[in-house]
């Protein structure tokens, strides 16, 4: 796991967007795994800007989102489809037919989960998976206690997650308590993973993910088993890490090796 600590939330977005752009420039038909939540919003703004400045094109790119709520239609403003259309897809040159999210309104949700896995496999697997981090350590909607080998499936949102996400819903709106999510096993199959986290409310989860034991009670700790994960965090989210100096030395070494190759 490569841990990159930067000054601010804005720097996290720039660094993350650059990694995504590098991936797409190297492989225009790359398959990107994408995330929702507050964390990737600034990264998506960067991607929109770089696309509009013709620095990168997403015409051949395919995307698979991590998750979708169950029981709200894709046109609902709370759906992750609406989030992605509004924050990214409608603003860039991607072909909308190449953007995939699980269908949380499917009659047969188990069949939908299997179909989603097949679509990812048929696309050749995910080249780069972007992740946020729940303050309880979840990735996608894989809540604490999720199997570290889990696949795309229906998941029950934890009280922590329901409380954290209630900020997006008014009291009279129905907040879904179920979702379809890629599993941890699905996520670990991505060739590269980039996880971003900012703010003091993420510091505990970051500590558990990077320096804690591998545990189903800290789903993000599963990334310790992935051999190409970059964690990009701001100083506040990194505040509980004990080995920041070492991570910085590792990063210097990586840059030096890249310059010499
Ligand atoms: C949500 C999403 C996750 C996201 C996480 C953190 O519930 N399912 O994919 O990473 O919670 O969200 P935020 O970035 O808003 O803190």
């Amino acid at each position: 796991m490569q841990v990159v600590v930067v000054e601010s939330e804005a720097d996290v977005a720039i660094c993350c967007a650059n990694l995504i752009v590098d991936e797409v420039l190297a492989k225009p038909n790359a398959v990107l795994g994408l995330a929702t939540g507050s964390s990737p919003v600034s990264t998506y703004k960067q991607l929109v800007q770089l696309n509009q400045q013709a620095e990168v094109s997403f015409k051949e790119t395919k995307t698979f989102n991590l998750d979708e709520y169950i029981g709200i239609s894709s046109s609902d403003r709370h759906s992750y489809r609406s989030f992605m259309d509004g924050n990214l897809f409608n603003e860039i040159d991607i072909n909308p037919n190449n953007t995939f999210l699980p269908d949380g309104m499917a009659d047969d949700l188990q069949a939908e989960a299997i179909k989603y896995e097949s679509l990812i496999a048929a696309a050749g697997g995910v080249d780069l998976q972007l992740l946020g981090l729940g303050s309880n350590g979840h990735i996608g909607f894989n809540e604490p206690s999720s199997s570290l080998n889990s696949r795309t499936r229906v998941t029950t949102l934890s009280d922590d997650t329901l409380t954290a996400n209630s900020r997006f819903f008014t009291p009279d709106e129905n907040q879904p308590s179920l979702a379809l999510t890629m599993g941890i096993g699905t996520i670990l199959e991505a060739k590269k993973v980039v996880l971003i986290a900012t703010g003091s409310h993420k510091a505990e989860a970051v500590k558990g993910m990077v320096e804690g034991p591998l545990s189903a009670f800290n789903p993000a700790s599963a990334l310790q088993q992935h051999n190409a994960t970059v964690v990009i965090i701001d100083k506040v989210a990194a505040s509980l890490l004990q080995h920041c100096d070492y991570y910085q030395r590792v990063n210097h070494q990586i840059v030096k090796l890249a310059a010499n190759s």
Side-chain angles (χ1 to χ4, degrees), residues 151-198:
R151 309 300 308 184
T152 302
R153 69 198 185 290
V154 175
T155 181
T156 305
L157 306 190
S158 69
D159 290 345
D160 285 340
T161 298
L162 289 171
T163 306
N165 288 356
S166 63
R167 68 190 193 278
F168 298 114
F169 295 83
T170 59
D172 59 316
E173 285 175 328
N174 194 16
Q175 183 183 357
S177 57
L178 298 176
L180 270 170
T181 185
M182 280 189 202
I184 297 175
T186 320
I187 291 169
L188 291 178
E189 282 172 8
K191 293 171 192 88
K192 293 179 195 160
V193 172
V194 179
L195 183 143
I196 52 174
T198 57

Side-chain angles (χ1 to χ4, degrees), residues 36-40 66-67 80 132-134 138 140-141 161 165 167 202:
T36 50
S38 318
S39 304
L66 283 166
D67 44 20
Y80 283 170
L133 177 67
H138 76 216
F141 269 134
T161 298
N165 288 356
R167 68 190 193 278
K202 298 290 172 75

